Amino acid sequence: MMPFKIHCIDVKNNLQNYIWLLEHRDSKQVVVIDPTEAGLVQDYCQQHGLQLGQIWLTHWHKDHIGGVPELLHEQNIPVYGPREELSKIPFITHPLAHEDQFQFHGLEVSVISVPGHTLGHIVYFIDEIDALFCGDTLFAMGCGRVFEGTFEQMYHSLARLAALPPRTQVYCTHEYTLSNAQFALHAEPDNLEIQTRHEQVERLRMLGQSTLPSSIEIELKTNPFLRADSVEEFARLRTLKDNF
């Protein structure tokens, strides 16, 4: 049996957030990534006999950090997050920058800086278990809006993620795949891989099922933003999507 397990909490909010938990099976200790609401995390841990050991944050937006103060109210938990956003996330205890590494029960966690959506956005890559927790930078068949950064920054951030091993599982924070698939079809109407995936995503959503995780391999074939071959092309697509 794999020593680690990944859980998903569907927040069921308007933004369609997911909260991911990474469990170390032997100790029943978990990391929670981008906890939108504390109560959901506390209830889930209680129901499954899990103990919260670490909190990882990708960026400062409220739907990613909203539950942290209440989770810290009960116990002293280390909070990992972007050094660049300390002023907006004052409860970070372990500030992180590009290429930093740390451990969770022997798992080596690598930090990748991905500015664009926000200026300090980071993601967590764990090669040993083929996992990428990427917040709002890379979505299944899409990417985050460019709020604080530039199109050029976002383009290069996505290129960093596209270069990860193809087997890497992509755990993003929102269930946006269906609307992303509709745009991908619009952007590349003749792409057979996108047509097939759009049908799969439609079926999953009709059944109320999650479309995640994705993988880098699948995204390279079906995500127009990863397939853009220049900053200009990326900017054109992102602007189109913003008004789609």
Side-chain angles (χ1 to χ4, degrees):
M1 188 170 68
M2 281 282 291
F4 295 91
K5 179 183 178 182
I6 294 171
H7 303 255
C8 180
I9 300 172
D10 186 347
V11 179
K12 293 184 165 61
N13 59 349
N14 289 339
L15 292 171
Q16 297 179 282
N17 282 73
Y18 288 139
I19 302 168
W20 298 103
L21 298 100
L22 172 63
E23 175 195 354
H24 177 245
R25 287 180 191 263
D26 285 352
S27 65
K28 305 292 279 183
Q29 199 174 64
V30 292
V31 176
V32 63
I33 298 112
D34 288 352
T36 314
E37 294 177 20
L40 292 174
V41 176
Q42 290 161 336
D43 291 348
Y44 191 91
C45 288
Q46 194 170 11
Q47 286 164 17
H48 295 83
L50 303 171
Q51 181 200 353
L52 190 53
Q54 294 181 4
I55 297 171
W56 302 351
L57 305 174
T58 60
H59 65 292
W60 65 268
H61 286 164
K62 190 168 185 292
D63 59 309
H64 292 253
I65 67 169
V68 178
E70 197 180 326
L71 290 173
L72 295 178
H73 186 66
E74 309 248 320
Q75 51 184 319
N76 189 18
I77 305 164
V79 180
Y80 294 76
R83 181 187 301 278
E84 294 285 314
E85 298 186 358
L86 264 175
S87 61
K88 290 175 171 164
I89 321 174
F91 36 74
I92 289 173
T93 58
H94 292 64
L96 300 167
H98 185 53
E99 293 184 339
D100 280 349
Q101 294 188 320
F102 63 97
Q103 289 202 342
F104 173 68
H105 287 279
L107 265 192
E108 191 81 19
V109 184
S110 301
V111 176
I112 303 171
S113 172
V114 286
H117 182 67
T118 67
L119 286 175
H121 200 305
I122 60 172
V123 300
Y124 300 87
F125 172 58
I126 311 169
D127 194 25
E128 193 181 326
I129 59 168
D130 302 332
L132 172 70
F133 296 100
C134 53
D136 284 0
T137 296
L138 176 62
F139 292 133
M141 304 188 82
C143 72
R145 285 177 181 262
V146 180
F147 283 127
E148 293 182 354
T150 63
F151 290 129
E152 185 169 10
Q153 282 178 315
M154 192 65 154
Y155 176 76
H156 291 302
S157 292
L158 290 171
R160 277 180 173 167
L161 302 186
L164 293 173
R167 66 177 188 276
T168 303
Q169 300 294 290
V170 176
Y171 297 92
C172 45
T173 319
H174 296 273
E175 183 54 76
Y176 290 162
T177 318
L178 183 55
S179 61
N180 288 341
Q182 288 160 351
F183 175 75
L185 260 185
H186 174 74
E188 294 188 48
D190 299 326
N191 184 322
L192 292 176
E193 305 258 15
I194 288 177
Q195 291 171 22
T196 302
R197 193 171 179 204
H198 177 260
E199 289 168 12
Q200 292 168 343
V201 168
E202 268 194 326
R203 276 199 301 274
L204 286 170
R205 295 313 292 153
M206 274 172 59
L207 296 168
Q209 293 178 7
S210 171
T211 61
L212 300 173
S214 179
S215 72
I216 294 297
E217 182 176 25
I218 293 169
E219 293 310 308
L220 287 169
K221 292 174 182 171
T222 62
N223 189 325
F225 299 103
L226 285 197
R227 295 164 60 75
D229 55 12
S230 67
V231 175
E232 292 73 26
E233 175 64 6
F234 171 77
R236 184 187 72 80
L237 284 168
R238 188 60 257 184
T239 306
L240 261 180
K241 176 70 164 71
D242 289 345
N243 301 294
F244 186 66

